[in-house]
Amino acid sequence: MEKDKKLILYDVILVVLSLYVALLLRLDFRIPIEYMEFFKLSIIPAIIITLFFNKIFHLYDSIWKYASIEELMSIIYSISLSNVVILMYSYFINYRLLETRYIRFPYGVHIIFWLLSVVSLGGTRFLYRVVDEVNTDKNSDKKKKKLLIIGAGDAAALLIKEIKKSNNLNYDIVGLIDDDLHKRGKHISGAKVIGGRESIVGICEERGVEEIILAIPSADVWTKRSIINICKNTNAKLKTLPGIYEIIDSKVSMNKIRDVNIEDLLGREEVKLNSDNINKYIKDKTILVTGGGGSIGSELCRQISRFNPKKLLILDIYENNAYDLQMELNYNHPNLNKEVIIASIRDEKRLSDVFEKYKPDVVFHAAAHKHVPLMEDNPVEAIKNNIIGTYNVVKCSHEFGVEKFVQISTDKAVNPTNVMGATKRFCEIIIQAFDTISNTEYVAVRFGNVLGSNGSVIPLFKKQIAHGGPVTVTHPEINRYFMTIPEAAQLVIQAGAMAHGGEIFVLDMGEPVKIADLAKDLIRLSGYQPDVDIKIEYTGLRPGEKLYEELLMNEIALTSTDHDKIYIEKPADNSIEFVEKSINEFREVIYKDKEEIFKLIQKKVPTYTRKIN
């Protein structure tokens, strides 16, 4: 408020001075008495008119330390309109008050007055910004981080502007990187384009760059991946803007910048879905997702919500995750008809009541125990949940006329060497057996590890890095297939649309990734050097763990589909009699010795080989 009063006072003084100097300049510094009299008559009206239009154009409401071209245009509009009205006033006063003596300012006075007013009133305000920036630089006691920006386009220009106007962003912009040769040596808001991607490592070393921001939101996956791989070889912390499709309001700001993560580095392309096929079996249908609060289950619910189901049923035994998902869907899809059901798939009676009440049309079965070492120590729970629980859901789907049942499987079900993988393989046997006797279309979708899911290595590595290490890897040669959670969920939904019953869909996981390389990349992306700042320790393979995972039972049985990332494997049929007999045996064995459990699993899943490390 105090600053506003000062601005008004300055404006009063500057208007008077500008009008007086305009007269001096136009009349060669000799002002006749009659013009001086007219000047005195015009001072008060000129002040009132100018202040009135300044108020109209918010020249006393703006925060001038952020002044830009918009504020300059407001000053020009205000002064221009003020001059027009003052010119009209000069004719009015001549006609009414000075009828005997016709005196007015020469037109040149108005032109000079306009120029001086724009310069003086505008200059005063922009001086605020200059003084504020100088004071900010003087008062900043934090050491500025040396920043390199990748990209010299619109996104970079907006980021530079925000960095320069913010008191909280202590960055010293070293320069910009762009592969466009025509931009080399050019400047954006004072920041110079100093090279292409080939210069990144050298510039970071020479100038001590501490942070890199990728400001190329419209770049394709492979371009980003290539640049990130180069940036990995520096000591700088790496951050990025999300893809342009993620910036909904088309505005770039510092709060949209995030750390580069391993998903950016793996660089998988966005999944293309056939929405028509998906709509046919999800739109206006009642959809049940078991394990709906888990990593895959919750993402399935998010993706399904986009296809306007009649009702979405989220079933989970763990209420906290289910509640969080419910709140998220309430916010993002307020019109979605949904219900959270807290229940265990082990409880056959409870499941039967759920199916009878809601009559689901489609079931996505994502509920399972999935931690390999824990299930090695607790095989009873793996059988109860993964085998008997799945059997309960499959049986209810058959009895209550579900149209389509999609089982979430895993690459660990292929030639399993652990209890978790073996139980998931038996789940595939269950759904194929039921498909032979039921009107329900039963299918399984098999894929590898999911980045960022509960219990995956990525969150563990991030925690270990945050604590200063060490990062623990079981074996230097161990590798795994990876995909993102949204990608996995979308492909599961797409595979469901292709199902006719009995298939095992195998998702294209790309190339396997060494876990040790993954750990090193995460350390580098966090701004540290592997085995220098953060140590990597090899702890040895855990019980039941393979060096390499397989996605197929039999490559010869693999056939392609209309989707380039989905394949079908259709092994030999399994009888319902075999499944029913096996379930009874599993129900009995859970009360016996562990060794008896392992023997029965091996008998029922012939491809299972128990591995003792």
Side-chain angles (χ1 to χ4, degrees):
M1 194 66 184
E2 193 63 34
K3 284 186 177 180
D4 292 347
K5 288 179 180 177
K6 284 184 180 178
L7 268 178
I8 291 171
L9 178 61
Y10 294 155
D11 284 352
V12 169
I13 296 168
L14 291 170
V15 166
V16 175
L17 282 174
S18 296
L19 187 56
Y20 183 70
V21 172
L23 272 171
L24 284 174
L25 292 172
R26 174 65 181 79
L27 300 171
D28 298 324
F29 294 92
R30 291 191 299 272
I31 304 175
I33 293 174
E34 59 270 24
Y35 282 112
M36 200 64 205
E37 290 296 321
F38 189 70
F39 168 73
K40 292 175 183 177
L41 285 172
S42 302
I43 287 174
I44 299 301
I47 290 170
I48 293 170
I49 292 165
T50 303
L51 294 181
F52 172 77
F53 281 106
N54 283 359
K55 186 67 177 174
I56 291 294
F57 285 94
H58 306 289
L59 299 192
Y60 302 119
D61 303 330
S62 299
I63 302 174
W64 289 98
K65 72 175 181 178
Y66 301 130
S68 64
I69 190 68
E70 288 84 1
E71 283 73 26
L72 177 60
M73 293 308 298
S74 294
I75 292 168
I76 292 171
Y77 293 145
S78 177
I79 299 300
S80 299
L81 284 171
S82 299
N83 267 270
V84 169
V85 175
I86 290 168
L87 183 62
M88 291 170 62
Y89 164 80
S90 70
Y91 281 98
F92 173 81
I93 195 172
N94 268 293
Y95 180 73
R96 293 292 180 189
L97 303 178
L98 300 171
E99 293 177 351
T100 56
R101 297 173 63 200
Y102 188 80
I103 297 173
R104 62 173 177 76
F105 292 136
Y107 288 119
V109 171
H110 290 283
I111 294 169
I112 297 170
F113 176 53
W114 180 87
L115 286 169
L116 291 173
S117 297
V118 169
V119 171
S120 58
L121 270 69
T124 302
R125 283 157 173 79
F126 279 86
L127 190 62
Y128 265 94
R129 175 172 175 171
V130 173
V131 170
D132 188 81
E133 287 181 358
V134 170
N135 288 338
T136 299
D137 288 340
K138 285 181 179 178
N139 296 332
S140 178
D141 54 0
K142 291 182 182 177
K143 181 180 179 293
K144 289 194 172 186
K145 288 183 183 178
K146 292 192 174 180
L147 173 68
L148 183 67
I149 297 175
I150 311 293
D154 293 341
L158 289 167
L159 281 179
I160 294 167
K161 180 180 176 182
E162 187 160 345
I163 288 168
K164 290 194 171 184
K165 78 181 182 184
S166 174
N167 293 332
N168 301 319
L169 300 173
N170 276 306
Y171 285 118
D172 175 16
I173 301 173
V174 168
L176 306 172
I177 294 293
D178 202 290
D179 290 336
D180 187 347
L181 294 174
H182 294 98
K183 293 181 179 179
R184 302 284 173 85
K186 303 288 178 61
H187 291 76
I188 297 178
S189 299
K192 186 177 180 181
V193 181
I194 53 178
R197 70 178 74 180
E198 72 284 348
S199 309
I200 292 172
V201 175
I203 289 168
C204 288
E205 289 178 359
E206 290 170 17
R207 308 204 184 183
V209 172
E210 297 167 83
E211 206 161 290
I212 299 173
I213 296 178
L214 270 69
I216 45 174
S218 59
D220 60 68
V221 166
W222 305 114
T223 300
K224 285 185 179 179
R225 181 178 179 180
S226 171
I227 293 171
I228 291 170
N229 274 318
I230 294 170
C231 294
K232 274 189 337 187
N233 299 315
T234 71
N235 293 325
K237 181 78 182 289
L238 195 53
K239 293 187 175 181
T240 184
L241 277 168
I244 199 70
Y245 61 90
E246 297 174 69
I247 306 175
I248 298 169
D249 56 7
S250 298
K251 292 179 181 177
V252 176
S253 64
M254 291 301 294
N255 62 8
K256 285 197 171 80
I257 290 176
R258 58 168 172 77
D259 290 347
V260 167
N261 54 39
I262 208 70
E263 288 92 331
D264 297 310
L265 190 60
L266 292 178
R268 295 180 65 87
E269 291 179 332
E270 187 182 357
V271 174
K272 296 179 178 65
L273 297 179
N274 185 332
S275 297
D276 291 339
N277 287 348
I278 293 171
N279 271 326
K280 286 177 185 176
Y281 85 105
I282 288 183
K283 187 178 181 181
D284 298 326
K285 299 291 180 71
T286 299
I287 313 295
L288 170 65
V289 181
T290 70
S295 305
I296 296 297
S298 61
E299 186 61 29
L300 281 170
C301 292
R302 293 183 191 100
Q303 301 292 342
I304 290 165
S305 300
R306 297 165 46 204
F307 293 97
N308 301 311
K310 178 182 175 183
K311 191 178 188 72
L312 176 61
L313 305 171
I314 304 164
L315 188 146
D316 206 294
I317 187 62
Y318 185 47
E319 73 273 18
N320 290 350
N321 284 346
Y323 175 78
D324 290 342
L325 177 63
Q326 183 182 41
M327 293 300 101
E328 178 188 330
L329 294 178
N330 284 346
Y331 181 80
N332 293 327
H333 301 278
N335 298 321
L336 176 68
N337 183 12
K338 64 187 171 301
E339 190 159 340
V340 172
I341 302 165
I342 304 303
S344 171
I345 60 172
R346 301 179 184 189
D347 188 339
E348 189 175 3
K349 178 64 172 66
R350 172 77 168 120
L351 274 182
S352 182
D353 291 343
V354 168
F355 274 78
E356 184 173 20
K357 179 179 179 180
Y358 297 102
K359 301 289 193 303
D361 299 297
V362 179
V363 174
F364 289 92
H365 180 45
H369 285 322
K370 63 179 184 178
H371 295 274
V372 170
L374 288 179
M375 292 306 102
E376 289 301 295
D377 295 334
N378 300 276
V380 169
E381 298 307 308
I383 289 172
K384 284 181 182 178
N385 206 59
N386 293 3
I387 292 179
I388 298 173
T390 295
Y391 174 79
N392 292 338
V393 183
V394 169
K395 187 179 178 184
C396 284
S397 298
H398 166 62
E399 291 175 349
F400 290 93
V402 168
E403 295 173 14
K404 201 180 291 279
F405 180 101
V406 182
Q407 162 77 32
I408 308 301
S409 192
T410 170
D411 55 356
K412 293 174 179 63
V414 183
N415 299 321
T417 57
N418 53 66
V419 168
M420 194 283 282
T423 57
K424 294 295 281 184
R425 172 60 193 139
F426 194 82
C427 291
E428 294 177 351
I429 293 171
I430 291 172
I431 66 113
Q432 289 186 316
F434 266 87
D435 190 72
T436 63
I437 63 149
S438 178
N439 291 325
T440 302
E441 294 176 351
Y442 291 95
V443 297
V445 183
R446 188 189 290 160
F447 52 88
N449 296 275
V450 179
L451 288 167
S453 63
N454 295 330
S456 71
V457 295
I458 306 301
L460 174 62
F461 286 168
K462 285 181 177 178
K463 286 179 184 176
Q464 290 175 334
I465 292 168
H467 286 97
V471 172
T472 56
V473 179
T474 57
H475 192 283
E477 295 301 318
I478 193 169
N479 69 23
R480 291 292 180 265
Y481 293 94
F482 285 98
M483 65 168 45
T484 65
I485 295 175
E487 184 181 11
Q490 289 168 11
L491 289 175
V492 165
I493 294 170
Q494 185 70 75
M498 298 175 176
H500 297 293
E503 302 100 333
I504 294 178
F505 288 94
V506 181
L507 305 188
D508 177 7
M509 298 294 295
E511 295 299 317
V513 179
K514 275 190 178 182
I515 303 299
D517 291 342
L518 208 59
K520 290 173 185 175
D521 287 341
L522 267 176
I523 292 169
R524 290 190 186 101
L525 292 178
S526 302
Y528 303 106
Q529 287 299 307
D531 289 321
V532 177
D533 305 308
I534 304 284
K535 295 291 182 185
I536 295 176
E537 287 185 2
Y538 297 102
T539 58
L541 290 176
R542 297 172 297 181
E545 192 169 43
K546 292 182 185 179
L547 272 180
Y548 311 99
E549 296 293 358
E550 307 161 77
L551 282 176
L552 305 175
M553 294 285 292
N554 181 359
E555 289 191 11
I556 299 173
L558 186 68
T559 56
S560 60
T561 68
D562 292 337
H563 197 286
D564 61 356
K565 289 192 175 183
I566 302 175
Y567 298 86
I568 298 175
E569 182 207 40
K570 196 164 185 175
D573 292 334
N574 295 282
S575 72
I576 193 67
E577 292 78 17
F578 169 74
V579 167
E580 299 282 5
K581 182 174 181 292
S582 299
I583 292 296
N584 290 329
E585 292 178 62
F586 280 124
R587 281 176 173 152
E588 292 174 7
V589 81
I590 56 177
Y591 301 106
K592 296 182 179 178
D593 182 78
K594 261 190 185 183
E595 289 304 315
E596 292 296 317
I597 294 173
F598 288 126
K599 286 178 184 177
L600 182 61
I601 293 174
Q602 198 149 22
K603 178 183 175 184
K604 299 301 178 182
V605 184
T607 54
Y608 167 55
T609 305
R610 188 181 176 194
K611 189 172 183 180
I612 303 173
N613 295 323

